[in-house]
Amino acid sequence: MADSRAESEPLLSRARGGSGRDCLAGSAACRSVRGGPGARSRRDLCFDQAAVFIEDAIQYRSINHRMDARSMWLYRLYYSNTCQWILSVTIFLILFLAFIETPSSLTSTADVRYRSAPWNPPCGLTESIEVLCLLVFVADVSVKSYLVGWAQFRMNLWLLAYLAVLVVSLMDWIVSLSLVCQEPLRIRRLLRPFFLMQNSSMMKKTLKCIRSSLPEMASVLLLLVVHLCVFTMFGMLLFTGKKQGDGQDRERLMYFRNLPEALTSLLVLLTTANNPDVMTPAYSKNRAYAIFFIVFTLIGSLFLMNLLTAIIYNQFRGYLMKSFQTSLFRRRLGARAAYEVLSSMTAEGEAHRQEVGVKPQDFLQALQKVQLDSSHKQAIVEKVHSYGGDLLPADEFQKLFNEFDKRVIKEPPPRPEYLSPFLKSAQFLFSHRYFDYLGNLIALGNLLSISVFLVVDADVLPEDRDDFVLGILNCVFILYYLLELLLKVFALGLPGYLAHSSNVFDGLLTVVLLVLEISTLAVYRFPHPGWKPEMLGLLSLWDTARLVNTLIVFRFLRIIPSMKLMAVVASTVLDLIRNMRAFGGILVVVYYVFAIMGINLFRGVVMAPGNGSLAPDNSSAPCGSFEQLEYWANNFDDFAAALITLWNVMVVNNWQVFLDAYRRYSGPWSKIYFVLWWLVSSVISVNLFLALILENFLHKWDRRSHLQSLAGDPDTTCQRSVELLFRDVLEEPAEEELMEKLSHHPHLQLCR
């Protein structure tokens, strides 16, 4: 009863007072009443509301959700690490089912000539796992719908689509069980990637940007179609072939036999996959024919395709900044909402005071309820204490949230203290950077020795090799790495040694090498002239030791921070890895959908020679054909094989071989599928990836002076995240804009 009353009352209303704003009708939810359990419960409600708003601001979430006590408890439970982990695992599990369910990918090879019969799960096994996943999604959409309210749910297209996908999936699941898993088509498999998309706001933004760029891309694609059609007609007229066996006739029979073949040949030439094969027959007859193919390539590949890249980049130029701008607005809005809640408590509790603000102790009490790591929480507490007991105004309250963007660097543990002057000198020597340089030099010598022996032994048969020198060198290098590990632990202490990720990598690599070396010596004995480990039949053990030893090359990555320009490039790569999850998700969705479509369309059409197959024997197959190149593993008989086939087509090297083979095996309509995949993957996705790389890199490169200036920043215990790095080029939302947005909150009423 109290919760429903709190939900219906204005949360942030207060009497006309120090803020100078008029309040809407209704009693204040956060009013401080002297005495009684009601006053304490309302005060606790205000702190809970402020904590939820702060969490929304930290995570850049929308604040348009219910704010009563029960709803906030459910909201925080939903966004807890446990629930989000369960949701992520469920999404992964339902997508992973495609590898196990019929047709299963549980075979050692995808080659139709050698592939054994795969194990297919009995009906009901994967379906049981699937229905559990669907029930989790039902609970997910139910909680989301309740938290945002019915009015918001009706206007949210993603939630409506979420509900529709679940209804269709459950109905299709019922049909599967009714037919004992013998249905020819499972519609729900095509809908599974939706669960991944709806759970990522960045993927939704990326899809929105792709949708907005479709008209511009369609105009260029139309020009490409006109370009292909015009040159196809020219080619059909040029290569009519009047004499049997001349160059024109060979060109016509091979590439311009009919209109579909000519169109396909020039489409492949647009990707340069069959260049210069398509030109060679005519060019061998008359060099003037080269003009036709050169002009076609210049207009299509070098002009129109690059124009398409420019359009996609222009559409996505500023995409990163727009995303940061939206995130900044959400943070400011959540922070402002928290400020209004806490300041209303101050105004009601001390109505005689004219200034408006938040008591530091109130903010710290709300902060204790926030789910936040201790390092960031401690940094915020220290920042608030620096204000003393003064009220926090709105602008200073907003600045506190910049601390959440900083990645706190923990202070390294103190080094051991030695009393002996000799030990102190040794500690200084082995903790100096020159000792690291010596280790890198030794590692370089290790790599050079491995490379030299690989070159020397390249033409020597395994049974004729003598690994005596290499075995001795391997022992020497491993002993040095072990000595280096012990000396660094002596100088830095074990906690100090483990505080650096580079030392952890070196230590793990040294331990693995030491175990492998001891095992090698135990099996093969100590190296001696004529030492041939391969003769004992345990080749993998010796080769494993040599292979792991080459991983020492990663030691050289630690020199990157000392080179400023290389550091900018390396940090850009790391930022891309962190910020390209949305693009990676889009790519997963595209691959998944096309793989399922390919299985439904082309499963079983590729069959090995014999057994009624349409494929000719390898000896009689034309040179360069699917059969002659032995591309038998490129099929759509299971999900894993379909993914690899799509990857090979996306690279567009020899993709005309796939076009020709599937045309012969399944019909000319199959070209539509592969051309669509080429457009979506190689044209749109690759250009999108290029645009995002350029956007991120150019901004980071332009800000390199800002990166260098951070070296003199007094706040040296923090690293800047990408959002905070570009904060000075983003536009701060106006207070009027924030208040206007808050005034339209579906579950929140403000004073005016």
Side-chain angles (χ1 to χ4, degrees):
M1 184 69 179
D3 293 337
S4 60
R5 180 184 175 187
E7 172 66 15
S8 62
E9 292 176 345
L11 297 179
L12 302 181
S13 299
R14 57 177 181 261
R16 184 188 299 271
S19 67
R21 293 194 293 267
D22 295 331
C23 296
L24 298 176
S27 58
C30 295
R31 181 173 297 168
S32 178
V33 183
R34 295 184 179 180
R40 182 176 298 277
S41 63
R42 287 184 178 275
R43 190 172 179 84
D44 291 340
L45 176 63
C46 288
F47 283 125
D48 290 338
Q49 291 171 353
V52 169
F53 283 138
I54 291 173
E55 289 177 352
D56 288 341
I58 294 173
Q59 301 297 332
Y60 303 103
R61 295 196 296 252
S62 172
I63 65 171
N64 295 329
H65 51 79
R66 297 178 185 269
M67 295 303 300
D68 60 275
R70 184 181 296 107
S71 298
M72 286 190 298
W73 174 84
L74 181 61
Y75 182 80
R76 300 187 74 183
L77 176 65
Y78 175 78
Y79 281 108
S80 64
N81 293 332
T82 302
C83 288
Q84 291 301 303
W85 181 83
I86 292 174
L87 186 58
S88 300
V89 170
T90 304
I91 294 173
F92 170 79
L93 190 59
I94 198 170
L95 293 177
F96 186 76
L97 284 178
F99 291 98
I100 303 175
E101 60 189 3
T102 306
S104 120
S105 303
L106 303 179
T107 56
S108 59
T109 178
D111 196 314
V112 295
R113 297 171 298 176
Y114 315 121
R115 184 182 59 203
S116 58
W119 174 82
N120 289 315
C123 181
L125 178 60
T126 58
E127 286 74 16
S128 300
I129 300 174
E130 186 177 17
V131 75
L132 291 177
C133 296
L134 293 177
L135 291 177
V136 172
F137 295 138
V138 169
D140 180 51
V141 71
S142 301
V143 171
K144 285 183 176 179
S145 303
Y146 169 76
L147 291 175
V148 301
W150 174 245
Q152 293 293 315
F153 175 79
R154 289 182 300 173
M155 295 185 296
N156 193 317
L157 296 179
W158 279 100
L159 286 179
L160 292 175
Y162 196 0
L163 183 60
V165 168
L166 281 174
V167 170
V168 173
S169 298
L170 288 171
M171 293 177 61
D172 190 59
W173 179 84
I174 295 174
V175 171
S176 293
L177 290 186
S178 302
L179 299 176
V180 199
C181 306
Q182 298 299 319
E183 75 280 12
L185 177 65
R186 293 186 179 183
I187 301 176
R188 64 185 185 276
R189 298 183 73 184
L190 289 170
L191 301 178
R192 288 173 184 171
F194 178 84
F195 302 124
L196 177 63
M197 288 190 297
Q198 64 83 27
N199 196 49
S200 172
S201 60
M202 288 299 295
M203 287 182 64
K204 295 176 184 177
K205 293 178 183 178
T206 306
L207 285 175
K208 183 179 179 180
C209 210
I210 292 175
R211 185 183 61 185
S212 63
S213 62
L214 284 178
E216 290 83 358
M217 287 190 288
S219 62
V220 179
L221 291 177
L222 181 59
L223 288 177
L224 278 173
V225 171
V226 173
H227 172 67
L228 281 172
C229 292
V230 170
F231 274 83
T232 298
M233 290 186 291
F234 283 167
M236 294 289 291
L237 294 174
L238 284 174
F239 308 117
T240 55
K242 296 182 180 180
K243 293 183 179 180
Q244 185 70 20
D246 66 0
Q248 288 179 327
D249 191 63
R250 290 171 54 201
E251 187 75 35
R252 178 180 64 81
L253 293 178
M254 293 179 64
Y255 301 105
F256 291 88
R257 180 174 36 222
N258 50 51
L259 187 61
E261 288 294 328
L263 190 62
T264 302
S265 298
L266 291 183
L267 177 62
V268 174
L269 181 60
L270 195 65
T271 65
T272 68
N274 60 353
N275 184 68
D277 297 346
V278 70
M279 182 182 70
T280 299
Y283 177 66
S284 300
K285 180 67 177 179
N286 192 323
R287 68 177 72 233
Y289 284 121
I291 300 175
F292 170 83
F293 297 100
I294 292 174
V295 172
F296 173 83
T297 303
L298 285 174
I299 297 176
S301 301
L302 302 182
F303 178 71
L304 292 178
M305 294 299 291
N306 288 326
L307 178 62
L308 185 63
T309 302
I311 288 176
I312 294 178
Y313 173 69
N314 182 68
Q315 186 66 30
F316 278 83
R317 190 177 60 184
Y319 164 77
L320 186 66
M321 303 309 296
K322 289 179 182 178
S323 175
F324 290 159
Q325 187 68 53
T326 302
S327 299
L328 178 63
F329 183 82
R330 285 192 170 187
R331 167 157 294 186
R332 295 298 184 235
L333 188 63
R336 184 68 190 199
Y339 171 82
E340 291 293 331
V341 170
L342 295 175
S343 63
S344 67
M345 297 171 57
T346 304
E348 292 294 339
E350 302 181 26
H352 62 281
R353 299 186 64 166
Q354 296 299 316
E355 64 270 21
V356 178
V358 175
K359 291 181 180 179
Q361 59 268 29
D362 288 344
F363 174 74
L364 293 179
Q365 185 172 347
L367 187 65
Q368 296 305 315
K369 296 175 175 286
V370 175
Q371 297 178 3
L372 186 66
D373 61 276
S374 58
S375 58
H376 279 93
K377 189 172 291 188
Q378 182 62 31
I380 294 293
V381 170
E382 294 176 359
K383 190 76 172 180
V384 173
H385 284 162
S386 66
Y387 290 100
D390 299 333
L391 295 180
L392 297 173
D395 56 343
E396 294 297 332
F397 190 86
Q398 291 282 8
K399 291 180 181 178
L400 290 175
F401 286 80
N402 291 338
E403 301 295 322
F404 295 115
D405 283 327
K406 298 179 180 179
R407 304 187 186 109
V408 179
I409 302 178
K410 297 181 180 180
E411 293 292 334
R415 297 181 179 181
E417 296 183 1
Y418 299 106
L419 300 179
S420 170
F422 174 76
L423 294 180
K424 288 183 178 180
S425 300
Q427 183 183 31
F428 172 79
L429 178 64
F430 298 127
S431 62
H432 200 276
R433 65 178 185 275
Y434 287 156
F435 187 65
D436 288 333
Y437 296 161
L438 176 61
N440 293 338
L441 185 63
I442 298 296
L444 179 62
N446 190 0
L447 292 175
L448 289 177
S449 66
I450 294 175
S451 302
V452 168
F453 279 95
L454 286 176
V455 174
V456 172
D457 294 338
D459 298 328
V460 181
L461 296 176
E463 58 271 16
D464 297 333
R465 293 177 185 172
D466 187 352
D467 291 323
F468 166 63
V469 177
L470 185 59
I472 293 295
L473 289 176
N474 204 48
C475 291
V476 171
F477 285 122
I478 292 176
L479 288 177
Y480 174 81
Y481 298 146
L482 179 62
L483 179 63
E484 181 188 44
L485 184 152
L486 296 176
L487 292 176
K488 281 190 174 183
V489 171
F490 159 77
L492 303 176
L494 184 59
Y497 181 85
L498 297 177
H500 300 278
S501 57
S502 59
N503 288 338
V504 174
F505 172 78
D506 292 345
L508 289 176
L509 187 60
T510 300
V511 171
V512 173
L513 285 173
L514 183 63
V515 171
L516 288 174
E517 185 66 20
I518 293 175
S519 303
T520 302
L521 295 179
V523 174
Y524 304 120
R525 296 181 299 171
F526 196 78
H528 55 273
W531 194 55
K532 300 176 182 179
E534 294 81 4
M535 298 300 294
L536 297 179
L538 294 176
L539 178 64
S540 59
L541 182 61
W542 171 239
D543 280 348
T544 300
R546 297 175 64 186
L547 180 63
V548 174
N549 206 356
T550 59
L551 296 179
I552 207 71
V553 69
F554 290 103
R555 287 178 60 117
F556 297 100
L557 295 179
R558 67 188 64 179
I559 68 174
I560 290 179
S562 61
M563 305 173 65
K564 293 182 178 180
L565 295 181
M566 187 179 293
V568 173
V569 176
S571 61
T572 302
V573 173
L574 293 178
D575 288 338
L576 280 172
I577 294 174
R578 285 192 291 263
N579 295 296
M580 295 297 285
R581 288 177 296 179
F583 173 80
I586 295 293
L587 206 58
V588 168
V589 169
V590 170
Y591 262 91
Y592 200 100
V593 171
F594 270 85
I596 297 298
M597 291 173 56
I599 292 174
N600 293 327
L601 294 174
F602 307 116
R603 181 186 175 189
V605 300
V606 175
M607 299 177 62
N611 300 324
S613 172
L614 298 176
D617 293 332
N618 185 52
S619 58
S620 61
C623 182
S625 64
F626 186 91
E627 297 80 11
Q628 189 271 329
L629 294 172
E630 297 187 343
Y631 280 4
W632 302 106
N634 294 281
N635 55 68
F636 291 89
D637 291 351
D638 57 71
F639 188 73
L643 293 178
I644 300 302
T645 303
L646 291 175
W647 170 264
N648 290 332
V649 176
M650 187 185 75
V651 179
V652 301
N653 184 36
N654 272 0
W655 75 297
Q656 72 276 9
V657 176
F658 297 90
L659 290 175
D660 175 70
Y662 281 90
R663 175 192 62 80
R664 290 187 281 110
Y665 292 152
S666 59
W669 56 268
S670 62
K671 293 182 180 179
I672 300 176
Y673 172 85
F674 288 101
V675 171
L676 282 177
W677 170 246
W678 168 72
L679 287 174
V680 172
S681 63
S682 185
V683 176
I684 297 178
S685 298
V686 172
N687 284 325
L688 171 62
F689 182 65
L690 177 62
L692 293 179
I693 287 179
L694 289 174
E695 181 69 19
N696 197 315
F697 181 78
L698 290 178
H699 277 289
K700 196 68 174 287
W701 188 262
D702 290 340
R703 306 301 298 168
R704 65 186 185 277
S705 58
H706 180 68
L707 281 171
Q708 296 171 1
S709 67
L710 291 178
D713 196 298
D715 190 10
T716 56
T717 61
C718 295
Q719 291 178 339
R720 303 293 182 98
S721 67
V722 181
E723 292 84 357
L724 193 57
L725 178 64
F726 295 135
R727 181 59 51 78
D728 57 342
V729 299
L730 297 178
E731 181 181 354
E732 285 286 340
E735 183 178 359
E736 294 77 11
E737 187 179 4
L738 294 175
M739 298 305 298
E740 176 67 19
K741 192 72 174 178
L742 285 176
S743 66
H744 292 89
H745 193 287
H747 307 287
L748 189 67
Q749 296 184 23
L750 290 174
C751 298
R752 298 186 184 278

